[in-house]
Amino acid sequence: MNAYIIGFVVPLVIYLFKNAKSRKRRGLPADVAGDPGFAVRNHRVTSPMTSAWEGVTTLVELFERACREHHHRLLLGTRELISREIETSSDGRSFEKLHLGEYKWITYGTVFESVTSFASGLAKLGHVREERAAIFAETREEWFIALQACFRRNVTVVTIYASLGEEALCHSLNETEVATVICGRKELKSLVNIAGQLDSVKRVICIDNDVPSDASSAQHRWTITSFSDVEKLGRENPIEADLPLSADVAVIMYTSGSTGLPKGVMMTHGNILATVSAVMTIVPNLGPKDVYLAYLPMAHILELIAENLIASVGGCIGYGTPLTLTDTSNKVKKGTKGDASALSPTVMAAVPAILDRVRDGVFKKVNAKGGLSKQLFDLAYTRRLKAINGSWFGAWGLEKFLWNFLVFKKIQAILGGRIRFILCGGAPLSGDTQRFINICLGAPIGQGYGLTETCAGGSFSDFDDTSVGRVGPPIPCSYIKLIDWPEGGYSTTDSPMPRGEIVIGGPNITLGYFKNEEKTRESYKVDERGIRWFYTGDVGRFHADGCLEIIDRKKDIVKLQHGEYVSLGKVEAAILGSPFVDNIMLYADSFQSYCVALVAVSRPALEEWASKQGIAYSDISELCGKEEAVKEVHASLVKEAKKARLEKFEIPAKIKLLSDPWTPETGLVTAALKIKRDIIRKTFQEELSKLYGK
Ligand SMILES: *[C@@H]1O[C@H](CO)[C@@H](O)[C@H](O)[C@H]1NC(C)=O
Ligand SMILES: *[C@@H]1O[C@H](CO)[C@@H](O)[C@H](O)[C@H]1NC(C)=O
Ligand SMILES: *[C@@H]1O[C@H](CO)[C@@H](O)[C@H](O)[C@H]1NC(C)=O
Ligand SMILES: CC(=O)N[C@H]1CO[C@H](CO)[C@@H](O)[C@@H]1O
């Protein structure tokens, strides 16, 4: 071939590739009934899928099938605890550090035996199928086994976030009249605290063998049995399975709502199976070679879907915790391995807050090192960013290989070096963090949008879509429809893109809220063709290729005194970029002309600034009260706001600095780290009034 032809052919091929990509339609218009709007479906299917496996209609059938097919493969792995140590830091506080060993694995065959034994044991203990069982524990091997065992007895499982408060725990156990609680030693303590109010609990199955003495059967109305004893009981007294149907309720999942008491969402086997099937089509080539690192709460729908998915394709699941994830995680003993480097997973699920933390950690390290290695990192990062942003063609090839080898390999080692896909959901992921993961880990992120109410169904970005800020087309089991919301100023006839409230429909839509007809009727509707729709309250727009972008939330838009609309979430997202901000809540009073903000400060950043300025203070809360500090942080917020081109009325005019971080334990943010507006507002009522000069 001569140079002329090469010179002609290569650019042509690149041109064709680029255009094929930009023309790729990921979502297509759909013909649906119900409220008028702009509806889209996935390009892979013509109507929503219900199951990816022929003849499989429940999670029980799915798991049984996998166990038959992958009998000798490894399924569940847990790390051995070598030692537990208490380390004391220089300021006298003590921390628990764990020394964990290698993963110990059990096969599909063995897990299946455990599941059938536990199911028989549960029945033998006297649990009948009309009664509900709750699993209240951290993510671990026994969680999965107990879940599958309950399914085999057609027992509905109630799930509760381990970090919910006692009031919420009491409410959910009482509302569902749970008869058997399966929990860990730590959770059993919370149970004991509210034992007086739990009328329905008859049995407690404790996963850990050392049951605390004050939990004993003698003092309470319940009997306590250890997990291994239930298995043993079942092994000696096998009982036939009592299989559920697709329409039977598999799980009642209590979600930490941002207002009031949690609501229990009823999910059928069919609901969960539909999402598991749909997500399988999204992760490329998922199969027995895949290793999944499980550490998110099992009571989070994303984790429930992910573990059932991995266990259906012959992959293996290794358990970890957020506090032992990497070699430098808080609870990992110095010099020993974190979960990710011990496991080397290929697939992970994550919430944005965790990926943000990984990203901040890396940037901090690079900046601290400085010098040549920082320059090299910056150069590599910019080159890769250009390549990914500009052309799809440039995203691969030799240069990528080179930079990976020179710079990014060390970063990839943080998560074990083999990650090939990250499932992300629960909250919007920032474009910066998505790029960081794409570049430094070299792995695509499937960014999902869905709710517990839609069984995590909704949308999911395709692995080959390198754009940021969007959540992809509808997944194959969902329709997504936008409907007009005139008060918010959003319409499906908007240009250049249709906009409106997001409504999700299909077989993945759950039955509704447990014992809450009214709330169910408010948010769910069945159309004339029998499809259920959930009204999300989120506002989105559809790009030309059928990908959804979340732009607002109905509840979070406030109209100011002069009629300007402020989208609280949008402003917060912009301002979070300030180095002084750990978390923030914008507040707008409709009777005022300006907004204010509560800022949970980033202590290290503020302390560093103070020491540079030579400002004396005895503790951080005093520093937060100082006028100079407030001024400095405010200036930094304004800078971020201007960068994001916010309007003047959107920028908080006054702020209050708070020294304590907002963690799920404080109740100010959900377990997925979303802020709970109502609770924060109530907690800091006085501060907010002061900001408005009242
Ligand atoms: C499963 O259990 C539920 C609740 O007890 C019951 O209504 C349903 O009929 C059961 N399903 C089968 C197939 O027996
Ligand atoms: C538990 O539920 C019953 C009704 O099912 C209710 O009467 C009782 O007040 C509830 N108790 C608590 C502590 O919520
Ligand atoms: C990425 O590309 C878009 C348009 O193609 C451009 O507006 C943006 O500035 C680019 N970003 C970077 C970081 O190069
Ligand atoms: C709960 C629910 O919406 N179930 C539906 C799931 O999808 C099938 C098929 O589309 C419907 O027949 C069910 O009613």
Side-chain angles (χ1 to χ4, degrees), residues 369-647:
K369 256 192 181 161
L372 196 61
S373 66
K374 178 171 158 50
Q375 278 171 11
L376 191 63
F377 178 88
D378 288 346
L379 176 66
Y381 198 85
T382 329
R383 289 288 304 171
R384 296 296 310 142
L385 190 59
K386 276 226 179 83
I388 288 183
N389 194 28
S391 88
W392 179 76
F393 204 70
W396 315 101
L398 188 65
E399 195 181 334
K400 174 178 175 175
F401 174 80
L402 207 69
W403 287 129
N404 270 349
F405 181 75
L406 283 177
V407 180
F408 300 126
K409 221 170 151 187
K410 275 188 239 129
I411 299 174
Q412 287 159 13
I414 296 175
L415 291 178
R418 285 204 303 165
I419 291 284
R420 67 178 192 89
F421 199 84
I422 294 180
L423 290 159
C424 184
L429 178 69
S430 78
D432 283 352
T433 303
Q434 185 182 336
R435 282 282 182 251
F436 169 83
I437 300 288
N438 287 155
I439 291 171
C440 294
L441 297 183
I445 296 187
Q447 207 194 148
Y449 165 72
L451 301 98
T452 310
E453 285 86 341
T454 63
C455 202
S459 71
F460 232 108
S461 57
D462 287 338
F463 75 96
D464 61 347
D465 183 0
T466 54
S467 63
V468 296
R470 316 191 307 167
V471 291
I475 63 174
C477 66
S478 308
Y479 289 126
I480 295 186
K481 180 157 69 173
L482 301 180
I483 56 171
D484 289 351
W485 182 40
E487 295 83 5
Y490 293 113
S491 162
T492 52
T493 56
D494 284 346
S495 163
M497 292 179 217
R499 304 190 297 176
E501 179 182 357
I502 301 167
V503 185
I504 304 178
N508 56 320
I509 304 305
T510 56
L511 291 179
Y513 301 113
F514 185 73
K515 283 191 189 163
N516 200 336
E517 273 290 316
E518 193 193 328
K519 277 261 153 47
T520 302
R521 239 175 303 134
E522 261 174 37
S523 311
Y524 293 83
K525 268 192 210 170
V526 181
D527 71 19
E528 50 281 23
R529 295 187 202 161
I531 297 266
R532 283 178 78 81
W533 296 90
F534 179 74
Y535 289 67
T536 64
D538 291 327
V539 177
R541 62 180 186 184
F542 266 116
H543 289 251
D545 60 354
C547 287
L548 182 69
E549 184 183 345
I550 312 297
I551 51 178
D552 230 321
R553 199 169 156 72
K554 266 170 102 172
K555 270 208 324 239
D556 296 347
I557 297 187
V558 184
K559 197 173 172 183
L560 288 176
Q561 200 180 22
H562 299 308
E564 305 99 338
Y565 281 100
V566 179
S567 157
L568 304 177
K570 181 183 87 179
V571 176
E572 283 158 1
I575 292 178
L576 260 177
S578 157
F580 293 115
V581 177
D582 190 48
N583 218 328
I584 183 162
M585 188 185 85
L586 192 75
Y587 178 73
D589 183 336
S590 310
F591 298 104
Q592 305 279 349
S593 57
Y594 60 93
C595 346
V596 299
L598 296 170
V599 178
V601 296
S602 162
R603 285 189 189 196
L606 195 63
E607 283 175 338
E608 195 189 319
W609 168 81
S611 76
K612 265 192 198 146
Q613 300 292 314
I615 295 174
Y617 58 96
S618 58
D619 62 13
I620 180 87
S621 63
E622 188 196 327
L623 179 58
C624 284
K626 283 194 185 284
E627 204 176 307
E628 305 101 287
V630 175
K631 232 177 176 168
E632 176 67 20
V633 175
H634 189 252
S636 150
L637 299 189
V638 171
K639 200 170 128 204
E640 291 299 322
K642 292 218 163 117
K643 236 199 272 171
R645 284 194 245 126
L646 296 184
E647 300 291 336

Side-chain angles (χ1 to χ4, degrees), residues 129-132 153-156 242-245 248-249:
R129 80 166 184 216
E130 288 74 23
E131 292 176 328
R132 279 173 280 267
R153 301 285 324 152
N154 184 17
V155 166
T156 299
D242 180 359
L243 300 176
L245 294 175
D248 285 325
V249 177

Side-chain angles (χ1 to χ4, degrees), residues 143-156:
W143 214 119
F144 185 86
I145 293 171
L147 181 78
Q148 299 295 342
C150 289
F151 287 170
R152 280 190 83 73
R153 301 285 324 152
N154 184 17
V155 166
T156 299

Side-chain angles (χ1 to χ4, degrees), residues 201-361:
V201 177
K202 296 183 218 165
R203 302 164 210 101
V204 172
I205 298 174
C206 186
I207 299 174
D208 301 294
N209 285 322
D210 50 338
V211 175
S213 58
D214 63 348
S216 70
S217 311
Q219 293 177 31
H220 306 286
R221 275 163 292 183
W222 57 53
T223 59
I224 292 199
T225 320
S226 75
F227 196 91
S228 50
D229 283 347
V230 178
E231 266 185 79
K232 189 158 157 262
L233 189 66
R235 222 171 341 192
E236 290 161 0
N237 303 277
I239 295 174
E240 278 285 301
D242 180 359
L243 300 176
L245 294 175
S246 179
D248 285 325
V249 177
V251 175
I252 301 178
M253 183 171 279
Y254 276 83
T255 62
S256 43
S258 27
T259 60
L261 285 170
K263 291 179 295 224
V265 176
M266 295 182 284
M267 299 172 184
T268 65
H269 280 270
N271 292 153
I272 302 175
L273 182 64
T275 309
V276 169
S277 301
V279 176
M280 196 177 77
T281 64
I282 281 153
V283 185
N285 308 318
L286 200 62
K289 286 211 190 82
D290 281 302
V291 179
Y292 174 79
L293 176 53
Y295 67 96
L296 289 179
M298 243 320 228
H300 193 301
I301 180 69
L302 184 66
E303 184 67 22
L304 188 82
I305 297 283
E307 289 191 29
N308 274 285
L309 174 61
I310 298 293
S312 71
V313 298
C316 43
I317 301 174
Y319 289 93
T321 73
L323 293 177
T324 54
L325 208 56
T326 66
D327 296 355
T328 53
S329 290
N330 281 345
K331 257 189 148 173
V332 174
K333 186 183 162 190
K334 228 186 184 141
T336 69
K337 279 185 178 174
D339 305 325
S341 46
L343 184 66
S344 294
T346 60
V347 181
M348 269 176 81
V351 292
I354 287 183
L355 298 180
D356 287 345
R357 229 171 279 160
V358 171
R359 171 186 148 216
D360 292 347

Side-chain angles (χ1 to χ4, degrees), residues 130-143:
E130 288 74 23
E131 292 176 328
R132 279 173 280 267
I135 309 183
F136 177 48
E138 284 172 350
T139 300
R140 54 198 288 182
E141 200 167 289
E142 291 84 356
W143 214 119

